[in-house]
Amino acid sequence: LDIATGAEKSNSPVVIQASVPGTGDGGSTVSFHAQMYKQRPGLLLLNGVVYTAWSSHCDIGNYHGWILGYDATTLRQVAVYNDTPNGSLASFWASGAAPAADADGNIFVISANGSFDANVGGSDLGESFLKLSTRNGLTVADYFTPFNVQDLNNGDLDTGSSGALLLPDSVGIPVHRRLLISAGKEGRIYLLDRDNMGKFQAGSDSQIVQSIVGAIGPLYSIPIYFNNTVFFSSIDRPLEAFPINGGVLATSPSAQSPTAFSYPGSVPSISANGSANGIVWAVEAGQGGTLHAYDAANLARELYNSNENAARDNLGSYVKFSTPTIANGRVYVGLQGSVQVFGLLGASSATVGSIVNAASLQSGAVAPGSLIAIFGQNLAQATESAPGIPLPVALGGASMSINGMLAPLLYASPTQINAQVPFEAVPGKGAAVVSTAGRSSSPSVMSIQPAAPGLFVLSQNRAAVQNQDGSINDAKHPAPQGSIVAAYLTGLGPVNPSGQTGEAAPSRPLTHVTLPVTVLLGGKQADVLFAGLSPGYVGLFQVNFRVPQLAVGSYALTVTVNGSASNSAQVAVGGH
């Protein structure tokens, strides 16, 4: 068909028909009977020839595995291959995968359950990995058949449920430079040398590079390769990543997706910018179909799925073996009656809803050097935490400025950003602006004052307090009267030596708060021994104080700095 108009091209159509010498039909030839077959594998275009591979239609009749080649210009049939001319079955299923081909023009396919007698000089190659030469039609150049071929046939555990993946020469070693990998319904992974496939050996598969039993579940797809890793998506298992090093595959996965894929698993695809920013795309069968995107470097990190916003993105008409196709920044998914196209939404400006103290989560004034949380919409393009200290000024594609000064970021997501107010911020009126995807939010007005203390709070409104023995204060671990405890806060204002924006506070010398600090516990004033930045952290303050003489119980803690009081939270007090 003409791709632009849909019109029939010259020399088209051609009726599919073929025959080969053999005894499979009880005579001198075996013929292709169209009503017995369906073209499940994909098409292969190789050196001007279109190759079609055929599986059985509902296991009807005395069928075979066929590969037929047609000149891409004239549609003249130029190649015919039948894998069981003197037997039966052994269709090419491949779960939609096309035959693979190498630079020398060899074709690699995997046959399913069927007759096998090549080990005794016959020409039937059911349940086998086949290397076909195209130099003169289609002829068998090499093959591999598992040692347990009869058990696979008896148990309907086809090797041919998957396609053959040719790995780049860079992952091979001199003795096994060119590799092929796949698996079947048994869940056994086969790694083969394409130049010496191993043929058949009774008792074991020790003649091949690797045979890893039970590594995955039944595989109804072709594996994919990226950055020295092979990815499998088998039935009732997560998407799994297997590293390949030194010419061999790891025997267990290094990473897996949080989602397990029910029947028939998925046919994954990779998008990347060269060897960077790899994304694994996969379509799950449940809920009418779900498109997933995972970080190829860490499958546990799901970047997107189409049910996150089901009203907008739900597939709704899943069809098995659908393979996501990625082109020009878009992802195409074939469905039962349509093709859905996914891409980046039109960039929307960030909208800041509220700015709060990161410890108390209360709105109000902020202080230089303090930690704050910003809530809103479209704040970042992705969810990302700071990888270390010093803190970055951009995360998840987002940045934030306060009065024109970039604020260090601890965390960014589309709905929340955690940041530090620069120590250089001058008390007075402030304006916070979030920028992402080349767009900036409207300025959000904030009040900056010398100190704006906020207590970090744990569950049940318990103050984040560490007891003298190192335990975290709670009802089961009260602070004894007269003991020294440390309360953790943010927003206590200027320190001496001066605080460094985005940097960890030093332990030598300690940084002390310069404004007056008062601690009340249960209404009693406590002796303050230290108030300053907590060493090794950014924007985190601690106040060390002695617990007053109070009866056993739970009491409200409040810290006041320069006349500004923190939120109130509970501290448990015990006996001596």
Side-chain angles (χ1 to χ4, degrees):
L1 302 179
D2 186 310
I3 197 170
T5 67
E8 197 85 35
K9 299 283 284 186
S10 59
N11 304 315
S12 173
V14 169
V15 175
I16 302 292
Q17 53 188 358
S19 62
V20 295
T23 60
D25 287 343
S28 60
T29 62
V30 178
S31 299
F32 182 93
H33 301 291
Q35 73 272 21
M36 295 169 59
Y37 298 98
K38 60 187 173 190
Q39 184 236 320
R40 174 170 284 182
L43 299 173
L44 169 65
L45 175 61
L46 176 64
N47 297 331
V49 178
V50 177
Y51 292 93
T52 66
W54 298 84
S55 62
S56 161
H57 179 71
C58 298
D59 292 347
I60 294 173
N62 195 34
Y63 60 87
H64 307 268
W66 293 86
I67 299 177
L68 309 176
Y70 295 84
D71 185 285
T73 301
T74 66
L75 297 194
R76 179 179 63 89
Q77 189 178 86
V78 296
V80 175
Y81 173 71
N82 181 303
D83 62 4
T84 51
N86 299 306
S88 62
L89 313 181
S91 284
F92 298 109
W93 298 90
S95 299
D102 65 14
D104 297 329
N106 298 303
I107 294 175
F108 297 84
V109 290
I110 309 172
S111 61
N113 298 331
S115 304
F116 171 71
D117 61 7
N119 61 318
V120 292
S123 54
D124 293 338
L125 281 161
E127 211 74 80
S128 300
F129 291 69
L130 307 179
K131 177 180 181 178
L132 304 176
S133 171
T134 61
R135 293 180 180 177
N136 184 20
L138 284 172
T139 57
V140 177
D142 200 359
Y143 76 91
F144 162 69
T145 305
F147 77 96
N148 58 341
V149 55
Q150 194 58 55
D151 291 336
L152 297 178
N153 272 334
N154 294 342
D156 191 29
L157 298 173
D158 309 25
T159 54
S161 64
S162 175
L165 174 66
L166 309 190
L167 296 173
D169 292 356
S170 60
V171 304
I173 57 177
V175 68
H176 298 300
R177 176 63 63 192
R178 304 199 295 178
L179 300 172
L180 175 156
I181 194 166
S182 193
K185 292 181 184 178
E186 186 189 16
R188 184 193 299 261
I189 296 175
Y190 300 96
L191 184 64
L192 306 177
D193 184 333
R194 304 198 315 260
D195 296 323
N196 181 17
M197 296 183 68
K199 297 184 171 60
F200 175 80
Q201 173 181 281
S204 76
D205 291 331
S206 62
Q207 81 278 24
I208 68 173
V209 181
Q210 274 184 295
S211 174
I212 309 172
V213 65
I216 58 173
L219 188 67
Y220 284 75
S221 66
I222 187 170
I224 58 174
Y225 170 87
F226 179 71
N227 278 2
N228 296 312
T229 304
V230 182
F231 299 85
F232 292 86
S233 182
S234 56
I235 295 176
D236 294 331
R237 295 282 287 263
L239 183 69
E240 296 172 293
F242 288 78
I244 183 166
N245 293 294
V248 294
L249 192 75
T251 57
S252 59
S254 61
Q256 60 185 31
S257 68
T259 300
F261 289 74
S262 59
Y263 174 84
S266 71
V267 186
S269 298
I270 284 276
S271 67
N273 182 7
S275 61
N277 302 325
I279 299 175
V280 182
W281 300 88
V283 180
E284 180 190 2
Q287 304 179 66
T290 304
L291 174 65
H292 294 268
Y294 301 101
D295 183 346
N298 178 15
L299 292 181
R301 183 184 177 210
E302 185 171 40
L303 305 175
Y304 166 83
N305 78 66
S306 56
N307 277 332
E308 290 176 350
N309 190 331
R312 181 190 65 203
D313 296 345
N314 182 257
L315 301 184
S317 59
Y318 167 84
V319 59
K320 64 183 179 180
F321 311 139
S322 180
T323 308
T325 299
I326 303 98
N328 297 326
R330 294 184 178 181
V331 181
Y332 298 81
V333 180
L335 304 170
Q336 290 182 15
S338 64
V339 174
Q340 282 198 21
V341 186
F342 294 82
L344 295 176
L345 296 174
S348 299
S349 296
T351 302
V352 176
S354 61
I355 300 175
V356 300
N357 184 296
S360 66
L361 297 181
Q362 293 180 352
S363 58
V366 301
S370 66
L371 301 177
I372 58 173
I374 300 95
F375 297 97
Q377 299 294 324
N378 305 313
L379 299 179
Q381 294 176 290
T383 299
E384 187 176 5
S385 297
I389 298 173
L391 296 179
V393 293
L395 283 177
S399 62
M400 176 186 172
S401 64
I402 297 175
N403 289 349
M405 294 177 289
L406 288 174
L409 305 182
L410 294 88
Y411 170 85
S413 76
T415 57
Q416 180 178 346
I417 290 177
N418 293 349
Q420 183 189 28
V421 178
F423 275 107
E424 297 80 6
V426 177
K429 185 177 180 180
V433 175
V434 175
S435 299
T436 184
R439 299 190 179 192
S440 298
S441 68
S442 299
S444 295
V445 177
M446 60 198 309
S447 174
I448 302 174
Q449 63 185 36
L455 275 167
F456 281 95
V457 179
L458 307 178
S459 61
Q460 299 177 335
N461 196 38
R462 290 182 295 112
V465 168
Q466 186 176 30
N467 295 325
Q468 187 168 327
D469 63 3
S471 62
I472 302 303
N473 184 272
D474 59 20
K476 293 182 179 180
H477 304 90
Q481 302 163 5
S483 65
I484 299 170
V485 299
Y488 292 93
L489 309 89
T490 193
L492 274 62
V495 292
N496 183 31
S498 298
Q500 301 299 308
T501 300
E503 299 279 356
S507 57
R508 293 184 180 180
L510 290 172
T511 51
H512 294 262
V513 173
T514 61
L515 299 174
V517 177
T518 301
V519 172
L520 290 180
L521 182 61
K524 286 190 175 184
Q525 186 166 330
D527 294 332
V528 176
L529 288 79
F530 169 79
L533 288 171
S534 188
Y537 295 91
V538 176
L540 178 66
F541 290 77
Q542 71 181 73
V543 175
N544 297 353
F545 64 91
R546 192 180 302 278
V547 177
Q549 296 298 314
L550 294 166
V552 173
S554 182
Y555 296 93
L557 170 67
T558 305
V559 177
T560 300
V561 182
N562 200 41
S564 296
S566 71
N567 53 309
S568 177
Q570 296 295 305
V571 174
V573 176
H576 291 289

